[in-house]
Amino acid sequence: MPVAVVTDSTAYLPDELADRHSLTVVPLTVVIDGVARQEGIDLTPADVAVALASRRPAVSTSRPAPEQFVETYRRLLGPDGQDAAVSAIVSVHLSAGLSGTVDAAQLAAREVGSDRVVVVDSGSTGMGLGFPALAAATVAVAGGDLRQVRSAAADTAARTRTLLYVDTLEHLRRGGRITAASALLGTALSVKPILQMRDGQIVLRDKVRTAARALAKLVDLAYAAAEDAPAVDIAVHHLGDPDRAAGLRDQLADRLGDRLRDSYLAGIGAVVTAHTGPGLMSIVVHRRAAAH
């Protein structure tokens, strides 16, 4: 029996990719003025952006409840392990430094049986999570066992870099996703901040005077993140600005040349919007292993 791969909604995978790789996606929740709605189901990034712009409604996010994971795992494994559709599960999620989702998944794994469910912290979000989930699913479809599928996710996460540009650090500071000191440095003299995921946390990477220069720097840093990898995958996330995102993707693709394999353009979802606010652009770079 095959291994199933579970991820969460903050991977922001294009729908056709999740379906093609038989990924099970568990949604996170955004709460606006006390009303909880699930990302990708009954809430859009535009809804969150409007709420943030008005400055009146309180906006927060919450992890999936452990019970959601228990239900998902048991559905995949079958009742009491009998007539199971799959033999085991690898559950790959956004950074524990950003969310309690990994903790909820681990609690559920212990209830269901940790010998059959393994949880992987991607250390990132967006396609920084999506690339590891896709790698795990690819190995699972090819007949890999639990150890092989887990290793595919963990190894891909280690070879993936996530860079972000935001108009302001205020929303990240408010939500506790970046320190007050970093937020102060990033907003000094009205510079535009460039961030990166490091050790599961969002940290300040660079400061640039204008938005145009910041986006050019974002491409430079993404190109540098590819290092000397013989093959590279990229993803560009945006918040309501697909044309600008496509321009960044094309610039990076030109510089990578024939090293570029897969490239994706994807909107960012409601949960990340709640923490970054408007203007987000993100580039995720996956350096493929030499054997790929």
Side-chain angles (χ1 to χ4, degrees), residues 176-260:
R177 266 60 181 185
I178 193 169
T179 66
S182 291
L184 181 63
L185 285 171
T187 54
L189 303 177
S190 299
V191 297
K192 296 297 184 180
I194 298 175
L195 311 166
Q196 68 178 18
M197 292 297 308
R198 181 188 295 161
D199 299 326
Q201 301 284 344
I202 299 174
V203 299
L204 186 65
R205 175 64 177 82
D206 214 329
K207 297 175 291 180
V208 185
R209 290 287 184 183
T210 66
R213 289 180 180 177
L215 293 174
K217 185 68 172 180
L218 192 67
V219 173
D220 288 342
L221 292 172
Y223 180 72
E227 298 177 349
D228 59 353
V232 177
D233 304 315
I234 63 172
V236 181
H237 291 293
H238 63 91
L239 181 52
D241 198 346
D243 291 340
R244 177 173 284 187
L248 298 183
R249 180 190 59 185
D250 293 345
Q251 291 175 47
L252 185 54
D254 286 345
R255 294 178 66 173
L256 290 169
D258 60 9
R259 291 199 292 156
L260 181 61

Side-chain angles (χ1 to χ4, degrees), residues 16 26 47 55 79 89 93 101 113 130 153 160-161 178 196 226 232 234 243 256 273:
E16 67 274 11
V26 177
D47 296 329
R55 293 186 172 272
I89 295 169
H93 299 290
T101 301
T160 301
R161 299 290 179 268
I178 193 169
Q196 68 178 18
V232 177
I234 63 172
D243 291 340
L256 290 169
T273 299

Side-chain angles (χ1 to χ4, degrees), residues 23-278:
L23 281 160
T24 298
V25 179
V26 177
L28 271 72
T29 297
V30 177
V31 182
I32 301 177
D33 264 1
V35 179
R37 290 187 279 175
Q38 292 186 315
E39 179 174 52
I41 296 175
D42 55 1
L43 183 71
T44 69
D47 296 329
V48 177
V50 168
L52 291 174
S54 73
R55 293 186 172 272
R56 287 190 300 274
V59 180
S60 62
T61 62
S62 65
R63 70 182 190 179
E67 291 76 17
Q68 283 180 264
F69 283 113
V70 169
E71 180 182 351
T72 299
Y73 297 158
R74 285 182 171 157
R75 174 171 53 80
L76 292 168
L77 292 169
D80 300 320
Q82 302 299 315
D83 301 320
V86 299
S87 60
I89 295 169
V90 173
S91 206
V92 191
H93 299 290
L94 81 157
S95 170
L98 301 179
S99 167
T101 301
V102 163
D103 182 56
Q106 289 171 334
L107 289 171
R110 286 196 287 272
E111 181 169 337
V112 172
S114 55
D115 58 326
R116 303 187 70 192
V117 181
V118 174
V119 178
V120 177
D121 181 348
S122 72
S124 190
T125 189
M127 283 296 287
L129 162 61
F131 281 128
L134 289 173
T138 298
V139 172
V141 169
D145 60 22
L146 181 60
R147 181 191 62 79
Q148 292 169 324
V149 175
R150 182 213 167 274
S151 293
D155 292 348
T156 300
R159 294 193 306 273
T160 301
R161 299 290 179 268
T162 300
L163 296 153
L164 310 95
Y165 162 78
V166 292
D167 281 339
T168 173
L169 295 177
E170 179 59 21
H171 300 290
L172 285 165
R173 184 198 63 77
R174 250 188 255 160
R177 266 60 181 185
I178 193 169
T179 66
S182 291
L184 181 63
L185 285 171
T187 54
L189 303 177
S190 299
V191 297
K192 296 297 184 180
I194 298 175
L195 311 166
Q196 68 178 18
M197 292 297 308
R198 181 188 295 161
D199 299 326
Q201 301 284 344
I202 299 174
V203 299
L204 186 65
R205 175 64 177 82
D206 214 329
K207 297 175 291 180
V208 185
R209 290 287 184 183
T210 66
R213 289 180 180 177
L215 293 174
K217 185 68 172 180
L218 192 67
V219 173
D220 288 342
L221 292 172
Y223 180 72
E227 298 177 349
D228 59 353
V232 177
D233 304 315
I234 63 172
V236 181
H237 291 293
H238 63 91
L239 181 52
D241 198 346
D243 291 340
R244 177 173 284 187
L248 298 183
R249 180 190 59 185
D250 293 345
Q251 291 175 47
L252 185 54
D254 286 345
R255 294 178 66 173
L256 290 169
D258 60 9
R259 291 199 292 156
L260 181 61
R261 296 298 183 265
D262 294 330
S263 68
Y264 304 102
L265 198 66
I268 211 69
V271 168
V272 169
T273 299
H275 292 292
T276 63

